Short mmCIF file of all heavy atoms in Angstrom, two decimals:
data_model
loop_
_atom_site.label_atom_id
_atom_site.label_comp_id
_atom_site.label_asym_id
_atom_site.label_seq_id
_atom_site.Cartn_x
_atom_site.Cartn_y
_atom_site.Cartn_z
N ASN A 65 15.00 -7.98 3.86
CA ASN A 65 15.90 -6.90 4.20
C ASN A 65 15.07 -5.64 4.27
O ASN A 65 14.02 -5.55 3.66
CB ASN A 65 17.10 -6.73 3.19
CG ASN A 65 18.19 -5.92 3.71
OD1 ASN A 65 18.18 -5.54 4.93
ND2 ASN A 65 19.16 -5.63 2.90
N ILE A 66 15.59 -4.63 4.92
CA ILE A 66 15.03 -3.31 4.91
C ILE A 66 16.15 -2.34 4.61
O ILE A 66 17.28 -2.40 5.14
CB ILE A 66 14.46 -2.95 6.28
CG1 ILE A 66 13.22 -3.90 6.59
CG2 ILE A 66 13.94 -1.48 6.29
CD1 ILE A 66 12.67 -3.74 7.97
N PHE A 67 15.87 -1.43 3.67
CA PHE A 67 16.90 -0.43 3.26
C PHE A 67 16.17 0.93 3.10
O PHE A 67 15.09 0.99 2.62
CB PHE A 67 17.67 -0.83 2.08
CG PHE A 67 16.90 -0.89 0.85
CD1 PHE A 67 16.87 0.31 -0.01
CD2 PHE A 67 16.11 -1.91 0.45
CE1 PHE A 67 16.12 0.38 -1.18
CE2 PHE A 67 15.32 -1.88 -0.74
CZ PHE A 67 15.36 -0.76 -1.54
N PRO A 68 16.92 2.02 3.41
CA PRO A 68 16.33 3.33 3.19
C PRO A 68 16.65 3.86 1.73
O PRO A 68 17.74 3.60 1.24
CB PRO A 68 16.94 4.23 4.20
CG PRO A 68 18.31 3.59 4.45
CD PRO A 68 18.09 2.17 4.22
N SER A 69 15.67 4.49 1.11
CA SER A 69 15.94 5.17 -0.12
C SER A 69 15.86 6.67 0.14
O SER A 69 15.25 7.11 1.13
CB SER A 69 14.96 4.77 -1.20
OG SER A 69 13.70 5.24 -0.92
N VAL A 70 16.57 7.50 -0.67
CA VAL A 70 16.68 8.96 -0.48
C VAL A 70 15.86 9.60 -1.47
O VAL A 70 16.06 9.39 -2.70
CB VAL A 70 18.14 9.40 -0.44
CG1 VAL A 70 18.18 10.86 -0.15
CG2 VAL A 70 18.98 8.57 0.53
N GLY A 71 14.90 10.41 -1.13
CA GLY A 71 14.08 11.18 -2.08
C GLY A 71 14.70 12.52 -2.43
O GLY A 71 15.73 12.95 -1.89
N ARG A 72 14.00 13.28 -3.26
CA ARG A 72 14.57 14.50 -3.84
C ARG A 72 14.69 15.57 -2.73
O ARG A 72 15.54 16.51 -2.87
CB ARG A 72 13.72 15.02 -4.98
CG ARG A 72 12.36 15.52 -4.60
CD ARG A 72 11.60 16.04 -5.85
NE ARG A 72 10.25 16.56 -5.43
CZ ARG A 72 10.05 17.73 -4.99
NH1 ARG A 72 11.03 18.64 -4.91
NH2 ARG A 72 8.84 18.08 -4.64
N THR A 73 13.95 15.53 -1.62
CA THR A 73 14.03 16.54 -0.59
C THR A 73 14.97 16.01 0.54
O THR A 73 15.12 16.70 1.58
CB THR A 73 12.71 16.84 0.03
OG1 THR A 73 12.09 15.64 0.57
CG2 THR A 73 11.74 17.45 -1.08
N GLY A 74 15.57 14.86 0.30
CA GLY A 74 16.45 14.27 1.33
C GLY A 74 15.79 13.34 2.34
O GLY A 74 16.53 12.79 3.20
N VAL A 75 14.49 13.16 2.28
CA VAL A 75 13.76 12.28 3.17
C VAL A 75 14.17 10.87 2.94
O VAL A 75 14.18 10.42 1.77
CB VAL A 75 12.26 12.45 3.06
CG1 VAL A 75 11.52 11.45 3.95
CG2 VAL A 75 11.85 13.85 3.50
N LEU A 76 14.49 10.18 3.96
CA LEU A 76 14.82 8.77 3.85
C LEU A 76 13.47 7.92 4.07
O LEU A 76 12.82 8.11 5.10
CB LEU A 76 15.83 8.34 4.99
CG LEU A 76 17.32 8.54 4.61
CD1 LEU A 76 17.63 10.04 4.33
CD2 LEU A 76 18.20 7.97 5.68
N THR A 77 13.23 7.07 3.11
CA THR A 77 12.00 6.24 3.19
C THR A 77 12.39 4.76 3.23
O THR A 77 13.12 4.31 2.34
CB THR A 77 11.13 6.49 1.96
OG1 THR A 77 10.76 7.85 1.85
CG2 THR A 77 9.86 5.62 2.08
N PRO A 78 12.07 4.06 4.31
CA PRO A 78 12.44 2.68 4.36
C PRO A 78 11.67 1.79 3.44
O PRO A 78 10.44 2.03 3.24
CB PRO A 78 12.11 2.29 5.87
CG PRO A 78 11.11 3.25 6.31
CD PRO A 78 11.37 4.50 5.50
N LYS A 79 12.28 0.89 2.76
CA LYS A 79 11.70 -0.02 1.85
C LYS A 79 11.98 -1.48 2.30
O LYS A 79 13.07 -1.78 2.83
CB LYS A 79 12.27 0.09 0.42
CG LYS A 79 12.35 1.52 -0.04
CD LYS A 79 11.09 1.99 -0.64
CE LYS A 79 11.23 3.32 -1.25
NZ LYS A 79 10.07 3.78 -1.96
N ALA A 80 11.02 -2.35 2.15
CA ALA A 80 11.20 -3.74 2.51
C ALA A 80 11.48 -4.56 1.24
O ALA A 80 10.73 -4.42 0.22
CB ALA A 80 9.97 -4.32 3.18
N VAL A 81 12.46 -5.41 1.28
CA VAL A 81 12.75 -6.39 0.24
C VAL A 81 12.05 -7.69 0.65
O VAL A 81 12.32 -8.16 1.80
CB VAL A 81 14.23 -6.65 0.05
CG1 VAL A 81 14.48 -7.66 -1.07
CG2 VAL A 81 14.91 -5.32 -0.34
N LEU A 82 11.10 -8.17 -0.08
CA LEU A 82 10.29 -9.30 0.31
C LEU A 82 10.65 -10.58 -0.46
O LEU A 82 11.14 -10.44 -1.60
CB LEU A 82 8.82 -8.94 0.03
CG LEU A 82 8.28 -7.75 0.67
CD1 LEU A 82 6.86 -7.48 0.12
CD2 LEU A 82 8.30 -7.81 2.13
N GLU A 83 10.46 -11.71 0.15
CA GLU A 83 10.48 -12.97 -0.60
C GLU A 83 9.32 -12.82 -1.61
O GLU A 83 8.19 -12.54 -1.20
CB GLU A 83 10.27 -14.11 0.37
CG GLU A 83 10.45 -15.46 -0.24
CD GLU A 83 10.28 -16.56 0.87
OE1 GLU A 83 11.17 -16.67 1.68
OE2 GLU A 83 9.23 -17.16 0.89
N PRO A 84 9.60 -13.05 -2.87
CA PRO A 84 8.52 -12.81 -3.92
C PRO A 84 7.29 -13.61 -3.57
O PRO A 84 7.33 -14.83 -3.26
CB PRO A 84 9.22 -13.32 -5.20
CG PRO A 84 10.67 -13.05 -4.96
CD PRO A 84 10.85 -13.44 -3.52
N VAL A 85 6.12 -12.93 -3.68
CA VAL A 85 4.86 -13.56 -3.48
C VAL A 85 3.84 -13.03 -4.44
O VAL A 85 3.90 -11.85 -4.91
CB VAL A 85 4.38 -13.29 -2.02
CG1 VAL A 85 4.16 -11.80 -1.82
CG2 VAL A 85 3.09 -14.06 -1.70
N GLU A 86 3.00 -13.93 -4.91
CA GLU A 86 1.99 -13.53 -5.96
C GLU A 86 0.69 -13.06 -5.26
O GLU A 86 0.14 -13.74 -4.35
CB GLU A 86 1.64 -14.71 -6.89
CG GLU A 86 0.92 -14.32 -8.07
CD GLU A 86 -0.38 -15.08 -8.24
OE1 GLU A 86 -0.50 -16.24 -7.89
OE2 GLU A 86 -1.38 -14.42 -8.64
N ILE A 87 0.29 -11.90 -5.70
CA ILE A 87 -1.03 -11.32 -5.21
C ILE A 87 -1.75 -10.81 -6.43
O ILE A 87 -1.28 -9.96 -7.08
CB ILE A 87 -0.89 -10.18 -4.17
CG1 ILE A 87 0.06 -10.59 -3.03
CG2 ILE A 87 -2.15 -9.70 -3.66
CD1 ILE A 87 0.43 -9.48 -2.07
N ASN A 88 -2.92 -11.41 -6.73
CA ASN A 88 -3.70 -10.99 -7.84
C ASN A 88 -2.97 -11.04 -9.19
O ASN A 88 -3.07 -10.12 -10.00
CB ASN A 88 -4.27 -9.60 -7.65
CG ASN A 88 -5.54 -9.53 -6.87
OD1 ASN A 88 -5.81 -10.43 -6.03
ND2 ASN A 88 -6.36 -8.57 -7.00
N GLY A 89 -2.16 -12.03 -9.40
CA GLY A 89 -1.47 -12.20 -10.59
C GLY A 89 -0.22 -11.35 -10.78
O GLY A 89 0.39 -11.28 -11.82
N VAL A 90 0.20 -10.67 -9.70
CA VAL A 90 1.37 -9.78 -9.66
C VAL A 90 2.34 -10.34 -8.69
O VAL A 90 1.96 -10.66 -7.60
CB VAL A 90 1.04 -8.33 -9.39
CG1 VAL A 90 2.21 -7.46 -9.23
CG2 VAL A 90 0.03 -7.75 -10.41
N ILE A 91 3.59 -10.42 -9.07
CA ILE A 91 4.65 -10.87 -8.16
C ILE A 91 5.13 -9.61 -7.39
O ILE A 91 5.58 -8.67 -7.96
CB ILE A 91 5.82 -11.54 -8.95
CG1 ILE A 91 5.38 -12.74 -9.78
CG2 ILE A 91 6.91 -11.98 -7.87
CD1 ILE A 91 4.74 -13.85 -8.95
N VAL A 92 4.97 -9.62 -6.06
CA VAL A 92 5.40 -8.51 -5.20
C VAL A 92 6.77 -8.86 -4.63
O VAL A 92 6.85 -9.93 -3.95
CB VAL A 92 4.31 -8.27 -4.13
CG1 VAL A 92 4.77 -7.21 -3.17
CG2 VAL A 92 2.98 -7.84 -4.81
N ARG A 93 7.68 -8.02 -4.74
CA ARG A 93 9.07 -8.25 -4.29
C ARG A 93 9.50 -7.13 -3.27
O ARG A 93 10.43 -7.34 -2.53
CB ARG A 93 10.07 -8.26 -5.44
CG ARG A 93 9.92 -9.44 -6.32
CD ARG A 93 11.01 -9.39 -7.41
NE ARG A 93 10.98 -10.65 -8.15
CZ ARG A 93 10.16 -10.92 -9.21
NH1 ARG A 93 9.35 -10.02 -9.59
NH2 ARG A 93 10.26 -12.06 -9.86
N ASN A 94 8.88 -5.92 -3.38
CA ASN A 94 9.22 -4.86 -2.52
C ASN A 94 7.92 -4.14 -2.04
O ASN A 94 6.94 -4.26 -2.71
CB ASN A 94 10.02 -3.84 -3.34
CG ASN A 94 11.29 -4.35 -3.86
OD1 ASN A 94 12.17 -4.71 -3.14
ND2 ASN A 94 11.38 -4.44 -5.21
N ALA A 95 8.10 -3.43 -0.88
CA ALA A 95 6.99 -2.66 -0.35
C ALA A 95 7.54 -1.45 0.42
O ALA A 95 8.63 -1.63 1.06
CB ALA A 95 6.10 -3.49 0.56
#
Side-chain angles (χ1 to χ4, degrees):
N65 199 6
I66 296 174
F67 68 94
S69 69
V70 183
R72 71 179 180 86
T73 62
V75 173
L76 275 62
T77 302
K79 311 277 184 174
V81 177
L82 305 172
E83 186 176 286
V85 62
E86 191 238 325
I87 306 174
N88 276 26
V90 173
I91 303 298
V92 175
R93 292 181 172 87
N94 300 295

